[in-house]
Amino acid sequence: MRVHVTVNGAQMTADDVWPGESLLYVLRERLGLPGAKNACEQGECGSCTVYLDGVPVCACLVAAGQAEGREVRTVEGLASGAGELDAVQEAFVECGAVQCGFCTPGLIVQAHSLIAAHDGVPPDAEIREHLAGNLCRCTGYEKILDAVRLAARRKAGQ
Ligand code: FES
Ligand code: FES
């Protein structure tokens, strides 16, 4: 089957998509966007998180056909066209919140969605809850929390 999807603002088409194929597979293997990671393929780790019509989802749990005609934004689409990192991406680098990096794209998209919905810095409990579906086996999470707080502070102009 053929799937049409808008990805990071560009209209894209994937051909020969098998009905059981995931959006994650289409993004990575057919559209050349390896940012969203494939770690568990079961909705357990959050490493494949992308926006689907503005809502963060596990791309491994979305059938490619469900994305027909919809808008996807991946971690690649958070940076500006000029190659400037998004504030959340920048904060992850600055705070040392990236080690092996496998969880990072999903965490960044998820954190981005939290910060976008907030005017100030979310309470720690809310940050933890929002990121609870994103697993990291390297960092111990403290630096990730630092990065989210830093990005939120900057967005709030503090
Ligand atoms: S790869 Fe999708 S949740 Fe783990
Ligand atoms: S940095 Fe390695 S899993 Fe998070």
Side-chain angles (χ1 to χ4, degrees), residues 6 11 15 41 47 81 91 93 102-103 111-112 115-116 128 141 158:
T6 303
Q11 298 261 7
D15 280 320
E41 241 178 335
S47 67
V93 174
F102 223 83
C103 66
H112 184 273
I115 292 169
R128 287 177 189 277
Y141 297 101
Q158 296 171 15

Side-chain angles (χ1 to χ4, degrees), residues 14-15 19 24 39 41 78 90 104 108 113-114 116 120:
D15 280 320
L24 179 62
E41 241 178 335
L78 299 185
E90 220 164 60
T104 309
I108 286 177
S113 71
L114 174 67

Side-chain angles (χ1 to χ4, degrees), residues 7 23-34 50 59 72 74:
V7 184
L23 172 61
L24 179 62
Y25 186 90
V26 168
L27 290 171
R28 291 179 55 83
E29 309 298 336
R30 298 192 184 276
L31 301 179
L33 289 163
V50 299
V72 174
T74 69

Side-chain angles (χ1 to χ4, degrees), residues 46-110:
S47 67
C48 62
T49 305
V50 299
Y51 283 109
L52 180 63
D53 288 342
V55 178
V57 297
C58 291
C60 70
L61 294 183
V62 177
Q66 289 178 293
E68 171 65 31
R70 298 174 74 180
E71 288 210 23
V72 174
R73 193 174 178 199
T74 69
V75 70
E76 290 97 334
L78 299 185
S80 76
E84 256 178 51
L85 293 181
D86 170 80
V88 183
Q89 294 170 319
E90 220 164 60
F92 267 65
V93 174
E94 275 181 50
C95 292
V98 182
Q99 287 189 21
C100 81
F102 223 83
C103 66
T104 309
L107 273 160
I108 286 177
V109 171
Q110 196 68 22

Side-chain angles (χ1 to χ4, degrees), residues 86-89 91 115 146-156:
D86 170 80
V88 183
Q89 294 170 319
I115 292 169
D146 289 346
V148 176
R149 292 185 203 108
L150 175 63
R153 272 202 307 277
R154 283 186 177 155
K155 183 193 163 217

